[in-house]
Amino acid sequence: YYNRAYWTVSLTQPVLPKATDSILPESLLNKTVYLTNAATHRFLFSDGKPVEGAPASEGGWLNAPKMQGTDANYYNRAQFIITKQGDHYMIRNQETKRLVFSAGQPFEGKPGDEGGWKANSGFESPMCVGVDANYYNGALWSVKKVSECYIFKNVRTQRLLFSDGSVITKRGAEGGWKSSSGCEAPDIKGTDANYYNRAYWTVSLTQPVLPKATDSILPESLLNKTVYLTNAATHRFLFSDGKPVEGAPASEGGWLNAPKMQGTDANYY
């Protein structure tokens, strides 16, 4: 769940990733790109009919079609063009010509104050929609880079571009993005925090290959040496609580009273 079973194994303590202000490289601007969520592996996708009139002819965003997260590039609606606008960026769908727009009220608290993105968390995050114009700068995004991923924060609402829904394991298995196809693709949300790394996106010129779990043999360089096991989602170390083993193997008689393994933020003691 939420990639919390992924671990890195290293000989030294890994450095925590930091979000840094970023300028998207020129190689990704003004070209057809895919925005793929790092947690769900879903594509950013534009629903609705293509824009037909002049900018702002639709009169706002209240009836604008949704941005969704799909398992495949249906009808090229997962292809976008990112353009630079001063210090910020616009993300326009190549097929529908719609801009990615953050709906809802601006967020004013501390990250995580809303407690999640679903209604059962006490607050349901507003959707991102596809609009025909940059109403009130709601289609402008700032970018931060974290490792190989990007976080997109909306200039108007201060909300993060976020992927709801299940993690996909096969491209095209859902058969479409509307309920009539048998599976309605989840909405793209605007959240106040990066819950479960679902605000991490990769930007690529080609469709990325889905990661696969393969049987693996740990390299000899990591065997019979002191290593750190670091969780890829939480960045916590695998950590052993309890007193050291003092007797012969099996002298404790079982595991029912054995101390817990925990996930810590540092290598204590």
Side-chain angles (χ1 to χ4, degrees):
Y1 297 102
Y2 303 115
N3 292 336
R4 287 175 173 241
Y6 287 175
W7 297 84
T8 63
V9 183
S10 60
L11 296 172
T12 57
Q13 292 190 39
V15 177
L16 275 175
K18 286 186 177 181
T20 57
D21 290 331
S22 173
I23 297 175
L24 279 166
E26 290 290 331
S27 60
L28 296 176
L29 298 180
N30 306 305
K31 295 183 175 70
T32 301
V33 295
Y34 299 86
L35 280 79
T36 310
N37 190 263
T40 65
H41 309 302
R42 292 180 177 275
F43 291 132
L44 181 65
F45 182 94
S46 179
D47 189 23
K49 65 180 183 179
V51 172
E52 295 174 344
S57 60
E58 293 181 350
W61 65 91
L62 295 183
N63 295 313
K66 299 184 292 187
M67 288 287 162
Q68 294 175 274
T70 58
D71 69 336
N73 176 29
Y74 300 107
Y75 302 105
N76 290 332
R77 287 170 173 254
Q79 295 179 340
F80 290 81
I81 295 175
I82 302 176
T83 57
K84 201 165 190 308
Q85 307 289 321
D87 293 330
H88 303 114
Y89 297 90
M90 281 186 181
I91 310 168
R92 187 186 299 273
N93 187 264
Q94 182 164 281
E95 184 67 21
T96 66
K97 310 305 180 190
R98 294 186 176 276
L99 298 169
V100 182
F101 181 95
S102 179
Q105 293 297 313
F107 174 69
E108 297 178 345
K110 294 181 296 184
D113 277 356
E114 293 177 347
W117 69 97
K118 293 182 178 290
N120 60 16
S121 71
F123 178 84
E124 185 165 9
S125 297
M127 294 186 300
C128 290
V129 297
V131 295
D132 68 335
N134 178 29
Y135 300 103
Y136 302 106
N137 288 335
L140 286 180
W141 301 83
S142 63
V143 176
K144 287 186 180 293
K145 189 171 186 184
V146 183
S147 188
E148 299 304 312
C149 298
Y150 296 96
I151 294 176
F152 292 86
K153 178 181 278 190
N154 190 261
V155 170
R156 183 184 76 88
T157 65
Q158 298 300 297
R159 295 181 175 278
L160 306 180
L161 190 68
F162 183 94
S163 178
D164 190 14
S166 61
V167 177
I168 65 165
T169 56
K170 184 180 179 182
R171 293 272 178 234
E174 294 177 348
W177 71 97
K178 294 182 177 291
S179 56
S180 58
S181 70
C183 178
E184 183 164 2
D187 300 336
I188 297 297
K189 302 281 192 178
T191 59
D192 70 328
N194 177 28
Y195 301 105
Y196 303 111
N197 290 339
R198 286 170 173 251
Y200 283 174
W201 298 83
T202 62
V203 182
S204 60
L205 297 172
T206 58
Q207 293 190 39
V209 177
L210 276 174
K212 285 187 177 181
T214 57
D215 291 332
S216 176
I217 297 175
L218 280 168
E220 290 290 333
S221 60
L222 296 176
L223 300 180
N224 304 306
K225 293 183 176 71
T226 299
V227 295
Y228 299 85
L229 278 79
T230 310
N231 189 266
T234 65
H235 308 301
R236 292 182 176 276
F237 292 130
L238 182 65
F239 182 93
S240 179
D241 190 19
K243 65 180 182 179
V245 172
E246 295 174 344
S251 60
E252 294 180 349
W255 63 89
L256 295 182
N257 295 314
K260 297 183 293 185
M261 287 286 169
Q262 295 177 278
T264 59
D265 67 337
N267 178 28
Y268 298 107
Y269 304 104

